[in-house]
Structure formats: structure tokens, C-alpha cells
Amino acid sequence: MKKKKVISSALAMSFLFGAIAKPSLASNINTNSGFYKSSRTRQAYINLTNDQRKELDSMNTNNNGWLTIKEVKDHGRYSLPIVQGQSYLYPFMDDRNNNGMVGENETETPQSPAGTENTDQVNDQEVIEEVTDEEIENLEEDLNSNQETEENPSSNQETEENPVASQIPSDYLDRLEESLKNAKTTIAGAEILVKNMPKFSTQNGEIINNLIEKQNQIIARAEKLLVANGREVIID
């Protein structure tokens, strides 16, 4: 339990320090980058040089929050494995076994024995990302539109049994759950920060409060959409 609390605090502090970054620093950053939009990689992305950010974005062909082994291999400049502390690419990749290396099995034969899973395929699977504010707003519009239809159905139009659920794909709901979890983690870390660093918290009180308020808004909106689509939500 103590380990989880420390991890939560570290994640939230990283998110917070990203929010406190000076505007002059952010002016040279591609805010449309998938790495900037993801709270997991935002600070690491900000810390890169301009050339590194440009190269990283060019490698990230689908502009999501993760760099895959295939994208690194297709780029052709870097050899595998990508090692923590040795390559700037590491923070943006998925180290599934947490051994400090990504793609360490690439020297093995690409063909997998019958009945086993190819390691390359596992590492290149898409990882669930957070839902952006714009996507949440679009989902809320769909939800409100369908609720109005249920309350005032047209005489010539049959109301679907569950119109909201048919509007929102399952993968969006998975991402909403991830956003909900990350928002709660950020709030928990911010509260720990306020408790353990009172001087810093006093100096940056407005930023911290705005951060917590934004995360609470994400939680409320995500819970509403998830419940409307039959997903179980645990209220803390």
C-alpha cells in the first residue's frame, strides 16, 4: 500500500510540474503531439531538445502516446534494445517486463513456435490512452442528444432500447476508465504534495487548486458517461 501511494504521488507531481512549466518553454513545443497530450509522457517530452521532439514525433506515425518497436525499426536510425538511461526514446516506449529495456528479444527468430505468442506482436499492441477533453465533450453531446430523444420521442421515430450505448464504442469507454483512474491518481498525489510540501503549496496554491478542480471535472464527466453506458463505477 505504501509503495502504491509513493507511485501515485510521483505521477501526480510529474503532472503538476508539467502544468507549472513556463509559457516561454512551452511556446516551442508541439502541443498536438500525442506525447504532449499524454500525462504519462508530457514532462519527458517537454525536457527533450527541439530536434529530439521533432524526430520523436516523426517516428510516432499514428500520433498516439506510445512509440512501438515497429516504429523504431521503420525509422532505421536506432538499434534495439532501447535501454533506460542510454536512449532518449525509452520513456516513450512500453517496457512491459520493467527490466529497463525494450525490444531485447528482437535478436531472436521472428517465427513463434506453435501455440505461443510472438514477442514482437505483444510489444506492438496499442496501449489504452486517456480520452482528450474534446472527445469527452463530443461524447457528452451524444449523451445529451440521446437523452432528449428518450424524453421527447418523435411520433414517427422509434426510440432505441439503449441509444447511448450504441453511440459510444467500447474502446472509448476503456479510455474513459483510464482517464478516470489517472485523474484520481493525480488528485491523490496533489493532496500528498500539499501535506508534505506546505511552502511549495502556498507559492503555487492557485495552480494546484486549478489542477485538482480540473481533475474533479474529468472524474464527474467520465463517471456520468460510463454509468450511462452500463459500466460499473466505484465511488470513493
Side-chain angles (χ1 to χ4, degrees):
M1 182 64 71
K2 183 176 181 181
K3 182 178 180 181
K4 290 183 178 179
K5 185 175 181 181
V6 172
I7 293 175
S8 297
S9 176
L11 286 171
M13 288 179 68
S14 175
F15 186 96
L16 177 62
F17 291 143
I20 299 176
K22 295 181 180 179
S24 59
L25 176 64
S27 63
N28 295 323
I29 294 175
N30 175 19
T31 56
N32 291 320
S33 167
F35 300 116
Y36 181 84
K37 290 180 179 179
S38 172
S39 60
R40 185 189 74 88
T41 55
R42 181 181 296 114
Q43 191 58 51
Y45 182 75
I46 290 174
N47 291 339
L48 298 178
T49 65
N50 286 334
D51 289 341
Q52 288 175 331
R53 285 194 292 269
K54 289 179 181 178
E55 181 181 45
L56 187 64
D57 287 335
S58 70
M59 297 170 67
N60 187 22
T61 55
N62 58 1
N63 197 37
N64 64 1
W66 297 85
L67 189 67
T68 66
I69 288 176
K70 184 179 185 303
E71 288 171 331
V72 174
K73 292 169 67 175
D74 288 347
H75 186 64
R77 180 178 178 182
Y78 299 94
S79 59
L80 297 170
I82 300 301
V83 181
Q84 183 178 22
Q86 297 182 14
S87 174
Y88 85 89
L89 302 179
Y90 177 84
F92 308 95
M93 302 190 73
D94 184 21
D95 184 3
R96 299 207 169 191
N97 57 5
N98 294 314
N99 68 345
M101 293 185 292
V102 179
E104 63 270 28
N105 297 317
E106 285 302 300
T107 55
E108 299 178 358
T109 55
Q111 296 295 328
S112 299
T116 61
E117 190 173 28
N118 188 288
T119 304
D120 206 10
Q121 294 176 347
V122 173
N123 284 325
D124 280 343
Q125 287 179 348
E126 293 298 329
V127 181
I128 296 176
E129 300 175 50
E130 295 181 61
V131 178
T132 64
D133 288 343
E134 182 178 357
E135 287 176 310
I136 291 179
E137 289 176 1
N138 291 335
L139 295 177
E140 286 179 325
E141 289 179 3
D142 289 339
L143 174 60
N144 294 332
S145 176
N146 280 293
Q147 286 178 337
E148 290 177 2
T149 302
E150 286 183 315
E151 294 173 358
N152 304 293
S154 172
S155 58
N156 296 322
Q157 180 180 10
E158 294 183 2
T159 304
E160 298 177 11
E161 292 183 2
N162 193 355
V164 178
S166 67
Q167 291 281 335
I168 303 180
S170 177
D171 61 325
Y172 267 57
L173 297 177
D174 292 340
R175 294 172 64 199
L176 271 172
E177 289 179 339
E178 186 71 8
S179 297
L180 178 63
K181 180 179 68 175
N182 289 340
K184 290 182 177 181
T185 298
T186 299
I187 290 176
E191 290 175 346
I192 293 174
L193 186 66
V194 170
K195 180 179 179 181
N196 296 332
M197 300 179 65
K199 183 177 180 180
F200 175 86
S201 301
T202 300
Q203 294 173 344
N204 299 277
E206 183 176 355
I207 295 177
I208 295 174
N209 290 334
N210 289 338
L211 173 66
I212 293 176
E213 181 180 356
K214 180 178 180 180
Q215 300 311 301
N216 279 324
Q217 291 174 355
I218 291 175
I219 291 171
R221 297 164 75 184
E223 286 179 345
K224 179 181 179 181
L225 288 165
L226 289 169
V227 170
N229 283 269
R231 291 291 181 100
E232 183 178 357
V233 175
I234 300 176
I235 308 298
D236 294 336

